[in-house]
Amino acid sequence: MQQPDDHHGPIYHSPTYGPLTLDDLIERMFAFQQLRPDMGYHLLIGTDSMPGICGEAIMVTAMALQRVGNGGLYFWKRERFQHLMTLRQRIYQEALCSVECAREFLAHPKATGLLIGDLEIHVDIGHRGPTREMIKEIVGMVTAHGFPVKTKPHSVAASTIADRHTVSAYP
């Protein structure tokens, strides 16, 4: 397995396998599916963010392969964006990061061999709190990109998995 570097795109992280390229990530997903090819699988992609220093925002995108009714595995990548000061800007960028991750994944030649029943984009917005006013806009934007979307409390890729690694971005 090759070591991730700047020439192979973003580095993903796995609690089990450490840093991985997208190639390696897809190989791990394929190996996971081969253990139980008779099961159904869903790919869940979501992004969470937190404001950083001097207008910077930390974005963490999580990609989880769920074996329906029987566990799963996940990977995440962290990016920094400048000048995302408002909550609205960050929420839009979160959704765009998830859509871009899904597109990059689906465009990869090795991804065609995976047994994925559903691919969902999970957004970190819900009917409570300050993001409730953006639900129609964000859901509409993600849907316009051709992906089904889930909001809180069903957006575990964004609001649980990505959130876990966003919080740890700053000591």
Side-chain angles (χ1 to χ4, degrees):
M1 195 174 309
Q2 61 191 3
Q3 278 299 99
D5 63 38
D6 292 338
H7 299 32
H8 294 96
I11 294 176
Y12 291 85
H13 303 275
S14 163
T16 306
Y17 305 111
L20 303 165
T21 63
L22 183 58
D23 278 350
D24 296 334
L25 179 153
I26 292 171
E27 287 176 19
R28 295 294 183 180
M29 285 183 171
F30 186 74
F32 180 72
Q33 287 185 333
Q34 291 309 300
L35 296 173
R36 295 292 310 271
D38 57 315
M39 300 290 287
Y41 293 89
H42 299 290
L43 184 61
L44 317 173
I45 299 174
T47 303
D48 184 45
S49 70
M50 76 180 287
I53 301 166
C54 300
E56 173 185 78
I58 306 296
M59 301 271 167
V60 173
T61 301
M63 191 180 318
L65 182 63
Q66 176 189 31
R67 182 183 289 145
V68 179
N70 195 319
L73 68 160
Y74 77 90
F75 308 89
W76 58 275
K77 66 179 178 176
R78 183 179 294 140
E79 299 174 274
R80 296 177 189 277
F81 289 84
Q82 297 297 320
H83 311 296
L84 294 176
M85 308 260 322
T86 69
L87 177 62
R88 177 173 290 278
Q89 289 172 321
R90 286 196 352 259
I91 295 297
Y92 268 93
Q93 189 61 51
E94 286 177 13
L96 290 171
C97 283
S98 295
V99 166
E100 181 59 32
C101 181
R103 285 184 167 173
E104 178 184 20
F105 177 84
L106 291 173
H108 196 285
K110 290 182 180 179
T112 58
L114 293 170
L115 310 168
I116 297 170
D118 292 321
L119 188 155
E120 299 173 352
I121 300 294
H122 289 191
V123 291
D124 194 24
I125 57 176
H127 293 282
R128 296 181 184 196
T131 60
R132 69 182 173 274
E133 297 169 3
M134 292 183 268
I135 288 178
K136 286 183 182 178
E137 297 169 47
I138 299 297
V139 168
M141 180 184 74
V142 173
T143 303
H145 282 281
F147 296 105
V149 60
K150 299 276 182 159
T151 61
K152 288 180 183 178
H154 307 289
S155 60
V156 296
S159 57
T160 303
I161 300 170
D163 178 72
R164 177 179 303 136
H165 296 284
T166 306
V167 172
S168 65
Y170 286 113

